[in-house]
Structure formats: C-alpha cells, structure tokens
Amino acid sequence: MKGLLRAAAIGLLVVGSVKTAAADVTILTMSGRPPFADADWPQKGMFTELVTAALTVGPDPEPFHIDWHGDPTGGFRSVKEKTHDLGYPVPRPLCELSRDKGGPCVAFHFSDPVMELVNLVFVRADNDFEFNSDADLEGRSLCRPKGFYIDDLDRPGREWLTRGVVTLVQPEMPRDCFKMLVAGEVDLVSVNEFLGVQQLFDAQLTEMVLPLPRPLSTQSWHVVVSKTHSRATTLLYRFNAGLAKLKQTDAYAEIISRHLTIYWDRLKG
C-alpha cells in the first residue's frame, strides 16, 4: 500500500501545474464538487486522487496533466472534441435505454466505475412521509436540478415519468430545489448524499430538512474518453488496469476514508 500511495503522491505533483510538452495525456475536470473534485480541497479531491493513483500504477504510465474547468455548463465538450484526452467525474446514464441521440452514451466510452454514489430522498422534517417502496412516491412532486440525470426515475420497473405518476421539477441549481422544498412547492428533493447534505449545512436547513434512510438509487461515476479518440482503447485499458490494481490494495479504501473524514469534519465545523 505504501508504494501505491507514494506513487500517487508523485502523480499528484502535476495536478494544477502549467501544461508542458511532457504531458502526454491531458485530463479535464471541474472544480466545485467537494469532496470529489475541487481545486481547493486536499489533494484536489477524492476522485482526483483516485484517478491520479490509478494512472500512476497502471501499465506503461504516461506523464499527464489535469486542467480545471470553472464553468459546469461547458461540460466535457473538450473531451468530446478531443482537446482533452480524458474527463472526470462523469455519471453513467442507463446507456442501454438512453434515447438521447447526442448525449454522453453516444459521445463517450466510460471507464470501469471509479466509485458509486447514493441518491437519497430529502423531505421536510415536519413531514411524516415514509419511503418504503416505489409506490410511496407516486403522486408526489420531485425536484432534481436541470442537467442532472433522471434515468433512475424512469428505469424499467419504475417508469415514474413515462406513466406520469411523479411530477419532475427541474430548477437551475440544487439550492433552488431545497428552497422549493422548504416553501412547500415540491414534496421531495433527490440528489446524491454528499451534495444534499452539503446543501443542508450551507443553507442551515439541518433542522428543517432530513434525508430518508432508503436510497432512491445508486449511480456509478467514471472517467470518459471520446469514442472517436484514436487512443481510446489504450487510454481506457491503462486506466482500468491501474484502477483494478488500486482496488486490490488498501490504498483505494484509505483514500476514500481519508477524504470522507475531512468532509464530515468540515461539515461539523
């Protein structure tokens, strides 16, 4: 494990550095997603450290450089256009069922899952609402911000949107969902656990809003490469091999545990 972590630390030296000709692989990520990817977070975030470690311990490692994109609306366009070789973190939709002709399933190859996040249901604390089965959400209004994937709401066996049994509300920002929840304008908010809890602390809603224990869904997060990239197969093979090697050691769990500890400590002040 020490050897893997030492190698990861060496790789992290290039994060946020000036791009040079020595960087054979260019990677794009977006800041503002603590504890996963954030320019101001220790080691630039949990996901960044995992990606860096996997690239460093994978077969035939190449020098790489990570660029930070400040505008989330820009998405991973430069990865699609091959200005950058790789991008992260990207959630994988249900590509087998996707009807989006221009979406990520069409544009990208996805790596093996780097990690999985749980989507929770958040409700007002003064509401005795229970979520024991999917039927409990039927007839409700559910808020999820615009641009977030909604495949889990319409997956086979659920099909809330297709059947019209759940009303989806999509404001611009996550904070807007929680404002609407507190105001009684929606019944539920569903986002991943970390984003949701962060919103509660940022808006001082921890006494007014709570997450229900039963997860709504899980979603895997990945590294992506353009399907038209000339080295797509090689880049993904090397990353996936390094990720598999990382997961076979204590290093993978240690990285996640360390970042989670920092995250919860910061939330508690």
Side-chain angles (χ1 to χ4, degrees), residues 1-265:
M1 181 184 81
K2 291 181 179 179
L4 283 175
L5 291 177
R6 184 159 50 250
I10 294 171
L12 279 169
L13 293 177
V14 304
V15 175
S17 64
V18 176
K19 184 177 180 180
T20 68
D24 297 331
V25 178
T26 58
I27 307 169
L28 179 69
T29 187
M30 288 184 285
S31 193
R33 297 183 176 186
F36 307 107
D38 189 273
D40 297 324
W41 193 266
Q43 306 301 326
K44 310 298 183 183
M46 178 198 305
F47 211 102
T48 299
E49 189 168 358
L50 291 171
V51 168
T52 299
L55 288 170
T56 305
V57 303
D60 301 319
E62 300 177 85
F64 60 89
H65 168 82
I66 298 177
D67 286 324
W68 294 84
H69 196 304
D71 178 14
T73 62
F76 290 91
R77 187 179 303 113
S78 70
V79 179
K80 180 179 179 180
E81 297 172 352
K82 294 165 287 189
T83 306
H84 287 86
D85 299 303
L86 301 171
Y88 75 88
V90 181
R92 185 183 186 275
L94 296 175
C95 291
E96 317 75 50
L97 305 172
S98 177
R99 296 182 291 271
D100 186 352
K101 302 303 181 183
C105 295
V106 176
F108 300 129
H109 290 302
F110 290 80
S111 72
D112 292 340
V114 177
M115 62 189 310
E116 288 192 341
L117 297 183
V118 174
N119 288 322
L120 295 180
V121 174
F122 293 82
V123 299
R124 285 174 43 154
D126 59 3
N127 190 330
D128 59 358
F129 178 79
E130 293 185 357
F131 177 34
N132 296 315
S133 70
D134 279 6
D136 293 329
L137 267 62
E138 295 188 2
R140 305 282 182 168
S141 55
L142 183 150
C143 191
R144 184 172 287 175
K146 188 179 299 183
F148 283 47
Y149 292 129
I150 57 175
D151 305 64
D152 58 326
L153 307 181
D154 221 29
R155 68 189 186 193
R158 179 170 281 173
E159 298 165 335
W160 286 334
L161 305 183
T162 300
R163 294 187 293 122
V165 297
V166 168
T167 301
L168 177 63
V169 180
Q170 296 180 284
E172 291 293 333
M173 303 296 292
R175 62 174 176 268
D176 298 327
C177 275
F178 286 93
K179 287 179 181 178
M180 296 176 74
L181 178 64
V182 171
E185 297 171 4
V186 295
D187 299 315
L188 320 161
V189 173
S190 178
V191 292
N192 77 66
E193 175 184 9
F194 293 94
L195 175 60
V197 171
Q198 183 74 56
Q199 292 294 314
L200 299 190
F201 276 85
D202 288 349
Q204 299 182 337
L205 297 176
T206 55
E207 300 298 321
M208 302 179 65
V209 176
L210 54 83
L212 299 179
R214 184 176 188 264
L216 179 67
S217 60
T218 59
Q219 188 160 48
S220 57
W221 290 70
H222 305 253
V223 169
V224 294
V225 61
S226 171
K227 285 187 175 180
T228 61
H229 196 297
S230 61
R231 299 181 62 219
T233 300
T234 299
L235 290 169
L236 276 191
Y237 166 74
R238 289 177 174 174
F239 177 77
N240 286 338
L243 181 62
K245 185 175 182 180
L246 189 67
K247 288 183 176 181
Q248 290 170 358
T249 72
D250 294 336
Y252 179 84
E254 191 278 334
I255 290 171
I256 291 177
S257 176
R258 174 162 37 83
H259 284 278
L260 290 182
T261 298
I262 296 170
Y263 177 77
W264 294 117
D265 286 346

